[in-house]
Amino acid sequence: MTAPTTLASSETADTSLLFSPFRCKSLNLPNRVVMAPMSRLHSPGGIPTPEVAGYYRRRAENHVGLIITEGTFVDEMGMVDSNAPRFWGDAMEGWKRVAEEVHGVGGSIVPQLWHVGIERPVDGNVLHQGRPSMSPSGIDRNGDVVADPMSDADVEAAIAAFADAAGRARELGFDGIELHAAHGYLIDQFFRELFNKRTDRYGGSPEARAMFGVDVVKAIRRTVGDDFAIIMRVSQWRGGDYDAKLVTSPEEFGAFLTPLSDAGVDIFHCSTRRYFLPEFEGSDLNLAGWAQKLTNKPAITVGGIGIEADFNARDPQNSGPQSLGPLMERLARGEFDLVAVGRALLTDPLWARKLQEGRFDELQGFRREMLGVLS
């Protein structure tokens, strides 16, 4: 399937629904534009600087409905780089400033809570260099055993780290949290048979492999209460393998999502590289569309929205200008509820404002005809 073509010259892309309100528990958003989490390595020593606060504030004051921060680490053994932010200790004063500046311009913001597991570089720019990284079974992305499996105490400590971080987010006034459970990081490593060979309650069947994520969500829910929004980011692909499949059918996806939904996930953020591609045969629904249908929970779609070329594209026919018309049609049909924008907002903090105000010629990385707007 190729990328969406531009709309016919007699049509226009109505973006009004994208700028309609959305509410879910502690999230009370003026519109449905979400800034996707994107790591920047601009937090020396893991501490967000005033520049980081300004970076998020500029997007919030220019009509981004919800900011999801770059991944921020919950555990020192889960860090991928010491210049990426962490969510404990003396870093919290920096995060307090971030939340205050975003709220000061009427924005909403959630931190993405992250533990990279086996993806932590043992000899990189991290704490405790030389110590093996943690993962369900000590298996890296190549299928090699490079460390001991996480002990019961390690598992309990990791669950507690996520819950503690979520509690700190609520104390600082954040509007919810997002769990990074995608792309081959710790929670996702428990989900995947490649990484998870455990024989305890966290390994075996797909439902059992979901139990670490379930326990993380339950621990967070006990910490933050029932009214604090929990978003979970999930994906089929993982780092180093864009063709990886966590599930192969709607039935498998439903069996995977249901216990997570029942545990307390409020919104599923479904990471895909191209939002317009169908996920399973026999339906045009993408991953977010299936998540919403199977759980009856709100879903966020993401993947190539607002860009002219697909980053790391392998399929040239699937790259290039994209009309927002098909995206708006899917949103109007209720296939998903929120739309996350990554690289377009990374390069242009005014992207959402320009879109809402019809300033199409000013959109970086956009061409006017991509919106189906008459010239």
Side-chain angles (χ1 to χ4, degrees):
M1 182 174 181
T2 59
T5 57
T6 56
L7 297 178
S9 60
S10 61
E11 297 176 315
T12 60
D14 182 1
T15 62
S16 59
L17 184 55
L18 189 60
F19 293 95
S20 64
F22 173 84
R23 183 158 195 173
C24 178
K25 293 189 176 179
S26 53
L27 295 176
N28 189 8
L29 310 180
N31 64 58
R32 295 160 189 263
V33 179
V34 177
M35 182 175 182
M38 292 170 286
S39 294
R40 300 171 65 239
L41 305 183
H42 283 195
S43 298
I47 300 175
T49 65
E51 182 274 334
V52 171
Y55 166 80
Y56 290 120
R57 185 198 68 245
R58 286 189 293 277
R59 276 90 185 151
E61 68 188 358
N62 284 292
H63 300 189
V64 173
L66 175 64
I67 304 286
I68 302 177
T69 75
E70 61 205 290
T72 180
F73 302 113
V74 301
D75 186 301
E76 60 187 18
M77 290 301 293
M79 297 181 69
V80 73
D81 190 291
S82 293
N83 289 313
R86 52 187 168 83
F87 213 74
W88 75 83
D90 52 356
M92 299 316 296
E93 191 62 32
W95 282 118
K96 180 180 179 182
R97 178 170 182 161
V98 169
E100 289 176 346
E101 291 205 18
V102 168
H103 289 152
V105 295
S108 296
I109 185 168
V110 302
Q112 187 191 68
L113 305 182
W114 192 21
H115 189 304
V116 303
I118 204 69
E119 290 296 312
R120 169 184 171 269
V122 174
D123 297 317
N125 182 26
V126 293
L127 300 174
H128 309 297
Q129 289 187 10
R131 283 180 56 184
S133 300
M134 292 186 174
S135 77
S137 302
I139 298 172
D140 67 10
R141 66 168 66 180
N142 299 315
D144 298 325
V145 177
V146 296
D148 291 333
M150 291 172 69
S151 67
D152 291 346
D154 293 333
V155 171
E156 292 174 5
I159 292 171
F162 278 107
D164 291 346
R168 287 190 287 271
R170 177 150 199 165
E171 290 171 4
L172 289 184
F174 280 88
D175 299 284
I177 61 98
E178 175 170 282
L179 281 174
H180 198 340
H183 304 168
Y185 298 117
L186 183 66
I187 298 176
D188 194 32
Q189 287 160 23
F190 273 89
F191 292 161
R192 296 180 188 266
E193 189 174 12
L194 170 66
F195 300 105
N196 185 349
K197 306 297 184 183
R198 300 178 72 93
T199 57
D200 60 6
R201 65 186 296 267
Y202 294 115
S205 68
E207 294 80 6
R209 295 198 303 272
M211 288 308 298
F212 177 77
V214 167
D215 284 356
V216 169
V217 173
K218 287 181 176 179
I220 289 174
R221 186 57 75 201
R222 288 193 297 268
T223 301
V224 301
D226 292 335
D227 62 335
F228 198 61
I230 298 175
I231 305 168
M232 176 176 277
R233 196 173 214 209
V234 297
S235 69
Q236 291 269 49
W237 67 275
R238 59 179 178 81
D241 187 356
Y242 290 121
D243 297 322
K245 296 292 183 182
L246 181 65
V247 296
T248 59
S249 69
E251 292 76 20
E252 288 183 6
F253 197 33
F256 165 71
L257 292 178
T258 296
L260 295 164
S261 176
D262 291 346
V265 175
D266 297 302
I267 301 172
F268 286 98
H269 184 182
C270 298
S271 178
T272 56
R273 297 176 65 226
R274 306 178 184 98
Y275 85 89
F276 49 84
L277 295 181
E279 194 56 48
F280 305 113
E281 288 187 16
S283 170
D284 288 335
L285 289 177
N286 67 8
L287 195 66
W290 277 110
Q292 192 214 60
K293 179 176 181 176
L294 293 166
T295 66
N296 201 30
K297 296 282 182 76
I300 304 173
T301 197
V302 68
I305 296 163
I307 60 173
E308 289 195 61
D310 189 11
F311 185 60
N312 288 337
R314 297 183 187 181
D315 307 322
Q317 71 272 20
N318 284 335
S319 303
Q322 296 178 23
S323 166
L324 285 186
L327 178 71
M328 295 302 108
E329 291 167 4
R330 288 170 180 252
L331 187 62
R333 288 198 296 266
E335 292 183 12
F336 38 76
D337 305 88
L338 298 151
V339 174
V341 179
R343 283 155 277 163
L345 277 171
L346 181 68
T347 58
D348 185 2
L350 277 69
W351 187 87
R353 176 185 288 274
K354 291 173 181 177
L355 182 62
Q356 186 172 21
E357 294 178 354
R359 296 156 56 188
F360 309 125
D361 291 335
E362 301 177 38
L363 289 169
Q364 296 183 24
F366 243 77
R367 294 215 299 265
R368 187 177 182 86
E369 64 268 25
M370 291 165 64
L371 291 152
V373 177
L374 297 177
S375 57

